[in-house]
Amino acid sequence: MKKKRLCAPLALLLGLALAAGCAGASASSSEAPLREEDARIPGEGSGFVVQLEGEPPVSQQVRENTVTPGFIHMTEEYLRAREVFRLFRGNPSHVEDFPREDGTWYQPGTLSQEIDGKLYYRAWNRYENWADFEAMVRAVFTDEYADALLAEGTFRNRDGVLWYAADTAQPDPAYQGGRTDNFLTVDQYVGYSEVENSFKEFTLLAHYEGENGVFVRELPLRAEYTEETGWRFDRFDDPAYTDRTYPPQQRQEYTDLSFLTEEQQALFTAARQAADDYLFGSASDILRLPGNRMGETFPVQQNGYTVEAAVVEGEDGDYAALTQKMRGLFTGEYLEKTGFTQRFGVKDGRTTVILGDMGTDIYYTDGAFDTYRLIGAREDAVDFMLVAHYASPQDYETDDSFIYRRDTGNWDYLVEYPVRLVNTPEGWRLDTYERPY
């Protein structure tokens, strides 16, 4: 990171102050009062902050070197949490990188004191006042999580003024995160789940270079939502400064279904196609399948409204035969859960459907890029994860460039969907599956 403002004389002063603190200098030291004409310079002189809206402002370094989980639509909240978290786990002096609200910026002074045996420096800029700093931390994290961070002692409140610890942590040189170019990313996000207007949780797969090649640490993240506060993180981590005790994970993923028996492979392939064709999207998609066509139409009542329905002619026109086909692929519980009997009706023994259309997730990259992660295999069941790949449009992309990137497999994030096959008296059946698009 380029910091134009840290001139050689100032760096020397800071170095001398640190040396004095380490040598056991007096409990506090003072400096000549700063003169505004000497210390105040334009905010852009730091070459650091690129926007002043929101608390804290997001630095260029964090904005450019963070792979954001765009699929949760919380990009700015995530970037701000990353900005604050690295103050506690990385270099506390970065709190001086933020200019004041009017865009001006003071050169950090060398005023220092020892507090509980540790050397601290006085803050001078945007978060000079403890109240402003504390409010900024609580604007990003839940109160409980903010309390835990503030209690660590990295930052101290002295008579309403912010003091920050001289201790710094170097980022992990093994960390491989960040964008490798304008399209491809290294870090990825999986295990995404949410409850609307309640919480969002996901896992960051952080990649590191080790002696035996690249390994992964899984870092759990979670944000809570309330109408009073909006989104606040209550679980967070920065992969560049994360606790080194996180164990490496060996995520064995398969690019094909070779971990299944031939019978299980055939069942899953057929059942997945049938689920996509019959159980997701619009029920009327059945009319577009080969061998089917639309027969007579008629009005029906649905949720208090009159809608149009149609008889299915052709391959799937026999309702009993269609039901038998589906029960040969899925458990009865799964068909009930996906609403098979609500999606398709019967009239004089013929299959009927409500006419209508439903969109798909345009961010999903083609199924050819899907991978699989085996959870466990027993005689009565096999559990694994379908790892689906997604690409979300970036601000710099045109529609055509985004579609090309998505369709050629340059994705931004992953979502894992659980899959379960069970061995019933009639043979293997699909019991858990969710379509990724």
Side-chain angles (χ1 to χ4, degrees):
M1 176 181 65
K2 187 176 182 180
K3 295 186 178 179
K4 298 179 183 177
R5 60 176 172 80
L6 192 59
C7 59
L10 180 58
L12 177 60
L13 284 173
L14 288 175
L16 292 174
L18 280 170
C22 295
S26 60
S28 65
S29 60
S30 62
E31 60 176 9
L34 285 176
R35 295 188 306 166
E36 182 169 322
E37 59 268 27
D38 294 334
R40 205 165 202 177
I41 62 175
E44 61 268 25
S46 67
F48 189 72
V49 173
V50 295
Q51 71 170 52
L52 290 176
E53 297 82 5
E55 295 296 336
V58 179
S59 66
Q60 184 175 354
Q61 181 193 35
V62 168
R63 190 174 294 278
E64 291 182 352
N65 295 331
T66 300
V67 182
T68 56
F71 60 98
I72 64 171
H73 307 297
M74 294 172 58
T75 299
E76 291 302 314
E77 291 90 339
Y78 182 75
L79 288 173
R80 290 192 173 98
R82 194 74 168 264
E83 191 75 71
V84 179
F85 194 79
R86 74 191 187 105
L87 299 178
F88 289 90
R89 291 295 181 271
N91 189 341
S93 69
H94 281 312
V95 75
E96 295 281 45
D97 288 324
F98 303 105
R100 296 167 180 262
E101 291 186 2
D102 62 3
T104 60
W105 174 81
Y106 277 96
Q107 291 181 351
T110 58
L111 185 62
S112 65
Q113 65 173 313
E114 284 190 4
I115 305 175
D116 297 332
K118 290 179 61 175
L119 183 66
Y120 288 80
Y121 289 102
R122 186 194 192 281
W124 293 95
N125 289 292
R126 190 181 188 88
Y127 301 111
E128 174 184 13
N129 297 320
W130 173 266
D132 293 338
F133 176 76
E134 182 180 5
M136 179 269 293
V137 174
R138 295 189 185 280
V140 172
F141 299 114
T142 62
D143 283 339
E144 294 78 8
Y145 196 48
D147 287 341
L149 291 173
L150 294 171
E152 292 177 350
T154 305
F155 298 90
R156 294 296 189 101
N157 176 11
R158 284 294 180 268
D159 299 324
V161 176
L162 176 68
W163 292 73
Y164 56 90
D167 297 337
T168 63
Q170 295 299 318
D172 188 346
Y175 176 53
Q176 300 292 298
R179 293 189 175 274
T180 57
D181 58 35
N182 287 336
F183 295 138
L184 302 181
T185 59
V186 177
D187 286 344
Q188 298 161 327
Y189 298 86
V190 301
Y192 170 53
S193 65
E194 72 173 308
V195 173
E196 186 176 1
N197 291 336
S198 178
F199 71 86
K200 296 176 186 284
E201 59 183 5
F202 47 100
T203 299
L204 168 61
L205 297 187
H207 294 67
Y208 300 79
E209 183 69 37
E211 294 181 357
N212 300 317
V214 174
F215 64 90
V216 173
R217 288 189 174 105
E218 298 187 11
L219 309 181
L221 309 170
R222 176 184 163 102
E224 290 188 350
Y225 177 87
T226 67
E227 292 184 0
E228 294 77 17
T229 64
W231 288 106
R232 300 288 187 273
F233 282 90
D234 70 343
R235 190 167 60 215
F236 202 81
D237 213 324
D238 186 324
Y241 296 99
T242 191
D243 186 347
R244 304 300 188 269
T245 61
Y246 268 101
Q249 279 81 31
Q250 300 299 324
R251 296 175 59 87
Q252 184 176 6
E253 294 188 7
Y254 298 83
T255 58
D256 56 28
L257 298 171
S258 58
F259 58 93
L260 299 176
T261 66
E262 290 185 3
E263 180 183 4
Q264 293 165 349
Q265 291 183 44
L267 180 278
F268 175 69
T269 301
R272 181 181 182 182
Q273 186 62 58
D276 291 348
D277 289 343
Y278 297 98
L279 302 179
F280 297 101
S282 301
S284 59
D285 288 344
I286 190 175
L287 299 171
R288 302 185 179 96
L289 297 178
N292 292 336
R293 60 186 183 278
M294 184 169 66
E296 65 169 307
T297 61
F298 54 95
V300 296
Q301 291 295 313
Q302 187 180 64
N303 299 325
Y305 295 93
T306 300
V307 297
E308 191 174 26
V311 172
V312 179
E313 299 286 358
E315 184 74 22
D316 294 316
D318 187 328
Y319 183 79
L322 174 61
T323 301
Q324 183 179 5
K325 177 172 69 174
M326 300 298 284
R327 292 191 178 278
L329 299 171
F330 307 97
T331 62
E333 292 81 2
Y334 182 72
L335 290 177
E336 182 66 26
K337 181 174 64 176
T338 54
F340 174 76
T341 56
Q342 285 74 47
R343 292 172 64 84
F344 302 106
V346 58
K347 180 181 180 181
D348 299 328
R350 310 301 297 172
T351 304
T352 64
V353 295
I354 303 296
L355 299 179
D357 291 313
M358 182 179 295
T360 60
D361 189 342
I362 64 170
Y363 298 161
Y364 175 61
T365 58
D366 187 83
F369 304 116
D370 289 342
T371 55
Y372 308 92
R373 183 163 64 90
L374 180 63
I375 303 299
R378 306 188 307 272
E379 291 185 359
D380 61 335
V382 177
D383 291 279
F384 60 96
M385 305 298 287
L386 168 64
V387 185
H389 299 62
Y390 296 81
S392 55
Q394 305 298 319
D395 293 339
Y396 56 79
E397 290 182 300
T398 65
D399 291 344
D400 289 342
S401 64
F402 162 63
I403 292 173
Y404 174 79
R405 179 168 66 86
R406 179 199 63 189
D407 292 348
T408 53
N410 291 327
W411 52 83
D412 294 316
Y413 62 93
L414 311 176
V415 179
E416 294 190 350
Y417 297 93
V419 180
R420 182 179 178 86
L421 306 180
V422 297
N423 195 3
T424 72
E426 292 77 28
W428 288 94
R429 298 290 187 270
L430 183 63
D431 185 61
T432 302
Y433 172 76
E434 181 178 349
R435 189 172 75 167
Y437 61 92

